[in-house]
Amino acid sequence: MKIYTRTGDQGLTSLIGGTRVSKGSLRIEAYGTVDELNAHVGLVRDQDINASRRLLLKEVQDRLFTIGSALAADPEKSRMKLPDLHDADVKLLEDEMDRMNEGLPELRAFVLPGGHPAVSMAHVARCVCRRAERLAIHLREESFVADLVVMYLNRLSDYLFVLSRRMAHELGVEEVTWKARV
């Protein structure tokens, strides 16, 4: 099987369902950003500090593929049975956040990303997740996007923030807080 097809050489691609759209369309931007997020989550997963969280982070990556397939499908024409999200996927992130939050200092200020490369990677993933969420919301204004997609991305960005704090704590690095210049 060849990887290249040459069918996209004119700037068009096919959605699940066969509809041809511009590679610059909002739908392509949305699922492309979810794909980018998945790569960043893979980097976070590969950090030694996350050995105990690798299975959960792989599950997150699986759910991101689920979201990507939902966003890559033409809601009007696709008849393919796609995997879907469940409320339990969101609950899993919430439960994990609650567990990771135990023993962390109370948050009293905005946290600046940094302190350790692994922590910074989690913050980059969080930022890409927020962008994916914004794009999914924007796409939902013009076409069908399941509410659970937006909810999962919202909760995942929160999870990545708590994960960055937990990693900083476990690594013994200082959380640098933002101090506004007055």
Side-chain angles (χ1 to χ4, degrees), residues 4 8 18 27 31 41 52 69 82-83 89 91 95 108 115-116 126 166 177:
Y4 62 91
R27 184 167 292 282
Y31 78 71
V41 171
S52 66
S69 66
L82 298 173
D89 298 320
K91 178 86 167 89
D95 291 346
R108 297 181 183 272
H116 187 277
R126 173 187 55 79
R166 172 51 61 186
T177 56

Side-chain angles (χ1 to χ4, degrees), residues 3-137:
I3 296 298
Y4 62 91
T5 62
R6 298 185 180 141
T7 59
D9 291 351
Q10 300 304 311
L12 298 175
T13 192
S14 293
L15 298 176
I16 298 171
T19 304
R20 301 281 293 166
V21 297
S22 166
K23 288 183 177 185
S25 78
L26 181 57
R27 184 167 292 282
I28 304 307
E29 185 69 24
Y31 78 71
T33 302
V34 170
D35 188 35
E36 179 185 352
L37 170 60
N38 206 331
H40 284 289
V41 171
L43 275 172
V44 172
R45 190 188 81 218
D46 289 343
Q47 300 307 300
D48 289 339
I49 187 73
N50 289 321
S52 66
R53 292 179 274 268
R54 281 204 177 104
L55 284 176
L56 183 109
L57 289 166
K58 186 199 173 288
E59 186 166 336
V60 166
Q61 289 186 284
D62 288 344
R63 295 302 77 76
L64 290 173
F65 254 88
T66 297
I67 289 170
S69 66
L71 295 174
D74 182 336
E76 304 294 321
K77 294 186 179 174
S78 177
R79 301 293 172 244
M80 183 183 290
K81 174 69 174 142
L82 298 173
D84 54 355
L85 290 173
H86 302 280
D87 292 330
D89 298 320
V90 173
K91 178 86 167 89
L92 176 66
L93 293 176
E94 292 171 345
D95 291 346
E96 186 60 17
M97 278 187 282
D98 292 343
R99 192 188 66 69
M100 286 191 302
N101 235 347
E102 292 175 11
L104 288 179
E106 185 177 337
L107 194 58
R108 297 181 183 272
F110 289 105
V111 175
L112 297 177
H116 187 277
V119 174
S120 295
M121 285 179 200
H123 279 289
V124 170
R126 173 187 55 79
C127 292
V128 174
C129 190
R130 287 283 190 216
R131 178 164 31 100
E133 178 188 8
R134 290 189 305 270
L135 287 166
I137 290 166

